[in-house]
């Protein structure tokens, strides 16, 4: 009997997660054992924004994610042209409390 060298993982994606969450700002922090990525949606003219999603990664997984993102950006730019990186003014951040409330 031949052993399967590429075991498959069944991944379930429920409807709510499949719809996604829009983010136009990510804030990344790290400790010795983890990377924390907060995804935020900032609306023009609105003085308060909430963290919409927080992802916590091991350092190894953060590095693999970085490589995967770089590879996908490279493929996107090959197909669609260079992604322009427009300078934006710095956004003053004020994280209040543990839930982001002041």
């Amino acid at each position: 009997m031949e052993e399967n060298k590429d075991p498959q993982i069944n991944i379930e994606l429920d409807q709510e997660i499949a719809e996604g969450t829009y983010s136009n700002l990510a804030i990344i922090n790290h400790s010795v054992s983890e990377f924390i990525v907060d995804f935020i949606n900032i609306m023009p003219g609105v003085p308060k924004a909430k963290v919409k999603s927080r992802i916590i990664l091991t350092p190894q997984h953060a590095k693999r994610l970085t490589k995967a993102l770089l590879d996908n950006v490279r493929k996107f730019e090959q197909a669609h042209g260079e992604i322009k990186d427009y300078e934006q003014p710095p956004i003053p951040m004020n994280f209040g409390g543990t839930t982001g409330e002041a």
Side-chain angles (χ1 to χ4, degrees), residues 9-21 55:
I9 299 172
N10 290 324
I11 298 173
E12 184 177 317
L13 180 62
D14 67 35
Q15 185 62 34
E16 182 181 348
I17 298 297
E19 290 175 9
T21 300
I55 306 297

Side-chain angles (χ1 to χ4, degrees), residues 21-32:
T21 300
Y22 179 77
S23 171
N24 54 9
L25 175 68
I27 297 175
I28 303 170
N29 291 293
H30 67 275
S31 69
V32 172

